[in-house]
Amino acid sequence: MTRAMASKKKAAKTDKMSGKKRVYYKKVVYDGGEFEVGDDVYVKRREDANSDDEIPELEECRVCFKAGKAVMVECDDCLGGFHLKCLKPPLKTVPEGDWICGFCEARKLGREVQLPRPPPGKKLARTLRDKLLSSDLWAAHIESIWKEADGSYWFRGQWYTIPEETSAGRQPHNLRRELYQTNDFADIEMESIIRHCYVMNPKEYAKAHDEGDDIFMCEYEYDIQWHSFKRLADIDNGDEEGDDSDIDEDWKSSKDAESDTDEDVEYEDEKVKNLQSRASSAHELAANSRKGKFFGLQKIGTKRIPEHVRCHKQTELEKAKAALVLAKLPKSLPCRNKEMEEISAFVKGAICDNQCLGRCLYIHGVPGTGKTMSVLAVMRNLKSEVDAGSIRPYCFVDVNGLKLASPENIYRVIYEALTGHRVSWKKALHLLNERFSEGKRNGKEDDRPCILLIDELDLLVTRNQSVLYNILDWPTKPHSKLIVIGIANTMDLPEKLLPRISSRMGIQRVCFGPYNYQQLQEIISSRLKGIDAFEKQAIEFASRKVAAISGDARRALEICRRAAEIADYHIKKLSSNHNPAPEGKGLVRMSEVEAAIHEMFQAPHIQVMRSCSKLSKIFLAAMVYELYKTGMAETSFEKLAMTVSCICTSNAEAFPGWDILLKVG
């Protein structure tokens, strides 16, 4: 039974119980074991697995096939356990550091090795660790636990996977006890849990010498859709544990009489009271255990949500402000259908070819015209076609030039995304050359095409342009199966490069022109669909103003969002003074849009930047680039001068010299 089948089976069962609400817990005692949110557990893979009932508590020695309290040492290569007295020669103490048994050492030297066989009638017992690493079991991280209306207990788990189940397969750098955390979740019955296992980060794993046999290391997350790897960030949850009681109290006090789920709340009221009255800590109520827990970029924000925010009903202006935020991904991308069809046809033509020869596509256009968002939308659409089986599977790697400390670091980022292993950029360049130029591949599924998206391609330009040459040269090799999509703001970037590079970039280009006012109006209206907060003339006025200057959709959205903020501020100011708002004041009018435009284009710092010389603007742009590259709010003049020199070289501008640059600063 696959993980997907387990999820479908759960969905079929829960359809019958959808009329009543679940009761969530933070900790439960089930079948003699205590499980709580955040634990890692072994999960049965087959329902009819009779062998799973016989689980040895202690591992048997690979020589005498006996388990006991005698000290054993584990081989770091085969993970076999050996009594110290059974070794030849015997050991008195457990050696420090890595230790490899004599059988593995002989195997590495090319000798034929025959391991000791168990006595007649005895079978070598397999531990849960052995079964997990041989794909006979699963491991999962518990995200939440609940009780269904029929009394059964379930949990939502995030799956772990072994290196053999990834597209890259097991690599030489993988540890024997290494797992990958996936972005795949499923709802699983508690009766499928066997017992706890312990998945640690590299620092914790290095210190876990005597923690038992169920210890594993996890350093990377594996994306099961794009078949790429991403290093896991160390998230410190230590200060969240002490706030659980406050969080639950906040949850209880925030129940509103006007809630849409009154029947569900009534259903669980009695059970909640019974659970709270129990003195045992075996079942801690955690209906709100996920509140305040943010993942990825969403960790930035407040931890506790005030009660009045939950009970407050959003006004039309507040809904408009939330819909116009740039960080919010729209459901659809209007006005770019033609360009998206060209990109989709290019990708399908590249990966559907039997030979899958590498190709390059260059996308250019002024900022704010939807270049990156269009490519990502195409990739999302193609993913559904891969799931349906209409096109062949592929892996997708997305790199932004602004996030690279230096252009050469792109080799390290690409290799890490493909294999889940971090090496120096020189070593990564060597290994990528072997993969794309010579066709050397390690995993069975490593033969699939790779689509590489490079945003801000012009930031990879170096003095000798070797980085761009290597990346654009790989698709020309017969066994590379690499498709490169480059995005930049400059239209004539290929013409500025050396002939050997521009020839490899190819002739396939997609131009994203600036939006006209009708398109900007459609983009803003699509964001505000179902929200009655703007007058039509106000949206048209903002669209025409932006279209006349730059055609940047992001600027148009920012102006409208700021206009909504101004209108909301005026209404709240009137209500605080106990003055009734005039009729129609709830809508954003042209006066608020004009005030927002004046703020954006006529602000003092904007005027200063507009009146600066070209060299001063380059200086400011170099400072912003350094800020993005290092994340530091300050930099040295020497680094800044080097960045200014690179910008001038790539844009055919003369470098002014350090003395003039210092005066500009």
Side-chain angles (χ1 to χ4, degrees):
M1 187 169 72
T2 64
R3 295 183 176 91
M5 289 168 61
S7 300
K8 289 177 182 177
K9 183 182 176 185
K10 158 65 189 163
K13 282 192 174 184
T14 51
D15 283 345
K16 302 175 183 178
M17 302 180 288
S18 57
K20 295 184 178 179
K21 193 175 181 180
R22 302 166 174 171
V23 181
Y24 283 82
Y25 301 97
K26 182 187 175 185
K27 185 189 296 183
V28 298
V29 172
Y30 187 87
D31 198 19
E34 189 175 285
F35 303 96
E36 62 180 311
V37 174
D39 286 351
D40 300 309
V41 292
Y42 291 113
V43 180
K44 292 179 184 178
R45 182 158 188 153
R46 299 181 303 275
E47 290 186 330
D48 56 347
N50 298 323
S51 61
D52 290 342
D53 298 331
E54 301 174 3
I55 304 169
E57 290 294 330
L58 296 173
E59 185 180 4
E60 296 179 349
C61 174
R62 290 292 178 92
V63 178
C64 67
F65 299 98
K66 294 179 181 179
K69 295 183 178 179
V71 179
M72 297 179 69
V73 61
E74 181 183 80
C75 172
D76 288 299
D77 198 356
C78 66
L79 298 185
F82 300 87
H83 286 131
L84 298 183
K85 62 182 180 180
C86 294
L87 296 171
K88 294 182 181 180
L91 295 177
K92 293 183 178 180
T93 58
V94 177
E96 294 183 1
D98 293 345
W99 178 81
I100 299 176
C101 66
F103 302 106
C104 293
E105 286 182 346
R107 193 181 290 113
K108 287 184 177 180
L109 294 174
R111 302 174 189 168
E112 289 188 7
V113 179
Q114 188 171 2
L115 293 170
R117 294 183 178 180
K122 180 175 176 62
K123 185 179 179 182
L124 181 64
R126 297 173 66 208
T127 62
L128 293 182
R129 181 255 301 157
D130 292 327
K131 294 179 180 180
L132 174 63
L133 297 180
S134 60
S135 300
D136 291 332
L137 283 180
W138 288 330
H141 180 80
I142 297 178
E143 290 289 326
S144 58
I145 305 173
W146 68 88
K147 186 178 181 181
E148 292 286 1
D150 63 351
S152 61
Y153 285 89
W154 293 76
F155 75 95
R156 182 161 181 79
Q158 185 175 13
W159 293 115
Y160 292 103
T161 186
I162 58 176
E164 285 83 356
E165 293 179 348
T166 66
S167 62
R170 177 168 286 278
Q171 301 292 319
H173 59 78
N174 287 129
L175 300 181
R176 288 292 299 167
R177 290 178 178 268
E178 184 169 1
L179 302 177
Y180 291 122
Q181 180 179 299
T182 69
N183 57 348
D184 188 19
F185 295 82
D187 295 344
I188 313 160
E189 268 190 289
M190 290 288 290
E191 64 181 24
S192 300
I193 294 179
I194 302 175
R195 71 168 184 232
H196 286 92
C197 61
Y198 305 93
V199 183
M200 305 177 175
N201 61 42
K203 289 182 181 179
E204 295 172 342
Y205 180 77
K207 300 176 183 177
H209 298 295
D210 303 317
E211 300 293 333
D213 193 44
D214 301 318
I215 303 297
F216 302 93
M217 188 201 78
C218 180
E219 188 179 5
Y220 286 88
E221 181 185 67
Y222 178 66
D223 192 316
I224 62 171
Q225 280 86 24
W226 301 127
H227 308 286
S228 60
F229 300 87
K230 186 178 181 182
R231 186 182 288 265
L232 291 168
D234 293 330
I235 301 173
D236 184 14
N237 291 325
D239 56 352
E240 293 182 8
E241 296 175 0
D243 297 336
D244 289 335
S245 58
D246 296 335
I247 289 172
D248 287 337
E249 287 175 10
D250 195 18
W251 167 266
K252 295 165 199 165
S253 64
S254 68
K255 288 184 180 179
D256 188 9
E258 297 176 2
S259 172
D260 295 333
T261 57
D262 287 338
E263 295 178 4
D264 297 334
V265 173
E266 287 173 7
Y267 164 72
E268 64 170 346
D269 270 348
E270 186 177 351
K271 291 192 176 184
V272 170
K273 290 175 184 176
N274 293 336
L275 286 163
Q276 288 175 333
S277 63
R278 292 181 189 176
S280 171
S281 61
H283 288 66
E284 291 185 37
L285 183 66
N288 198 27
S289 62
R290 291 182 65 90
K291 181 180 74 63
K293 188 173 182 182
F294 298 93
F295 298 89
L297 292 177
Q298 294 177 343
K299 277 178 67 67
I300 303 169
T302 57
K303 182 179 175 185
R304 296 188 61 185
I305 305 171
E307 182 182 350
H308 71 274
V309 174
R310 292 198 191 94
C311 302
H312 173 65
K313 188 177 180 181
Q314 277 191 322
T315 63
E316 293 294 306
L317 286 174
E318 287 171 346
K319 291 178 184 177
K321 287 191 292 182
L324 293 170
V325 172
L326 294 180
K328 185 172 181 179
L329 288 175
K331 295 180 181 178
S332 61
L333 195 63
C335 308
R336 289 301 181 199
N337 295 332
K338 180 185 175 184
E339 290 83 356
M340 289 172 64
E341 286 174 4
E342 290 183 36
I343 298 169
S344 181
F346 167 81
V347 174
K348 286 182 179 179
I351 65 177
C352 293
D353 189 2
N354 291 330
Q355 295 180 344
C356 190
L357 297 176
R359 295 186 186 180
C360 293
L361 176 67
Y362 180 57
I363 300 173
H364 60 87
V366 295
T369 51
K371 301 184 293 295
T372 306
M373 195 173 287
S374 297
V375 176
L376 296 178
V378 169
M379 302 311 296
R380 284 195 297 270
N381 295 337
L382 291 179
K383 177 185 167 296
S384 60
E385 296 189 31
V386 171
D387 296 338
S390 56
I391 60 176
R392 64 187 299 183
Y394 61 89
C395 58
F396 175 64
V397 179
D398 180 11
V399 182
N400 192 317
L402 272 175
K403 296 180 181 178
L404 301 174
S406 65
E408 290 81 7
N409 274 1
I410 192 171
Y411 303 131
R412 180 178 58 79
V413 173
I414 295 172
Y415 184 74
E416 186 175 4
L418 290 174
T419 64
H421 185 42
R422 178 173 287 190
V423 295
S424 66
W425 70 263
K426 291 183 180 179
K427 178 71 173 176
L429 174 60
H430 172 70
L431 295 170
L432 289 173
N433 272 327
E434 286 185 348
R435 177 188 176 111
F436 295 126
S437 298
E438 302 173 19
K440 291 183 180 179
R441 285 171 169 80
N442 297 316
K444 294 180 180 179
E445 299 182 17
D446 210 20
D447 201 37
R448 66 182 71 208
C450 175
I451 299 175
L452 174 61
L453 172 63
I454 305 176
D455 205 355
E456 309 294 347
L457 184 70
D458 48 340
L459 295 180
L460 300 183
V461 177
T462 56
R463 183 169 296 177
N464 58 4
Q465 301 180 9
S466 60
V467 176
L468 273 180
Y469 175 76
N470 289 330
I471 292 174
L472 297 176
D473 186 51
W474 287 332
T476 63
K477 304 301 180 183
H479 303 292
S480 68
K481 297 186 178 180
L482 177 66
I483 299 100
V484 177
I485 301 176
I487 300 176
N489 296 332
T490 51
M491 183 177 68
D492 58 344
L493 178 64
E495 284 72 28
K496 292 181 179 179
L497 301 175
L498 296 174
R500 62 174 186 158
I501 300 176
S502 58
S503 63
R504 282 163 172 76
M505 193 173 284
I507 59 173
Q508 287 189 283
R509 302 187 189 183
V510 178
C511 176
F512 279 69
Y515 290 110
N516 56 39
Y517 84 91
Q518 293 100 333
Q519 291 173 327
L520 290 174
Q521 199 170 344
E522 185 179 346
I523 291 170
I524 298 169
S525 300
S526 66
R527 290 276 189 124
L528 297 172
K529 190 175 182 180
I531 302 173
D532 186 21
F534 277 76
E535 292 181 351
K536 289 186 178 179
Q537 294 88 345
I539 296 177
E540 183 180 350
F541 179 56
S543 304
R544 286 182 179 273
K545 278 286 186 181
V546 175
I549 298 172
S550 62
D552 189 337
R554 292 176 297 193
R555 183 162 288 184
L557 292 171
E558 275 292 297
I559 288 174
C560 291
R561 187 183 62 82
R562 180 57 186 152
E565 287 178 352
I566 294 171
D568 194 30
Y569 170 75
H570 288 158
I571 291 174
K572 288 178 179 177
K573 189 175 180 181
L574 287 172
S575 61
S576 64
N577 296 333
H578 305 288
N579 294 327
E583 192 174 346
K585 190 67 179 178
L587 294 177
V588 178
R589 300 178 298 178
M590 290 178 65
S591 57
E592 283 85 11
V593 172
E594 191 170 7
I597 292 171
H598 183 78
E599 275 188 16
M600 181 169 288
F601 295 112
Q602 305 299 326
H605 63 285
I606 299 292
Q607 293 295 327
V608 170
M609 286 190 287
R610 184 173 290 169
S611 61
C612 279
S613 65
K614 181 184 286 187
L615 185 56
S616 299
K617 293 175 181 176
I618 294 174
F619 189 93
L620 285 171
M623 288 184 67
V624 173
Y625 175 67
E626 282 293 318
L627 172 68
Y628 273 101
K629 186 174 73 173
T630 62
M632 304 287 289
E634 56 187 26
T635 185
S636 66
F637 178 75
E638 184 180 359
K639 291 180 180 178
L640 192 64
M642 293 297 294
T643 305
V644 171
S645 176
C646 293
I647 292 175
C648 290
T649 303
S650 61
N651 290 278
E653 292 283 342
F655 182 66
W658 286 42
D659 52 346
I660 298 176
L661 200 61
L662 191 58
K663 291 178 181 177
V664 169

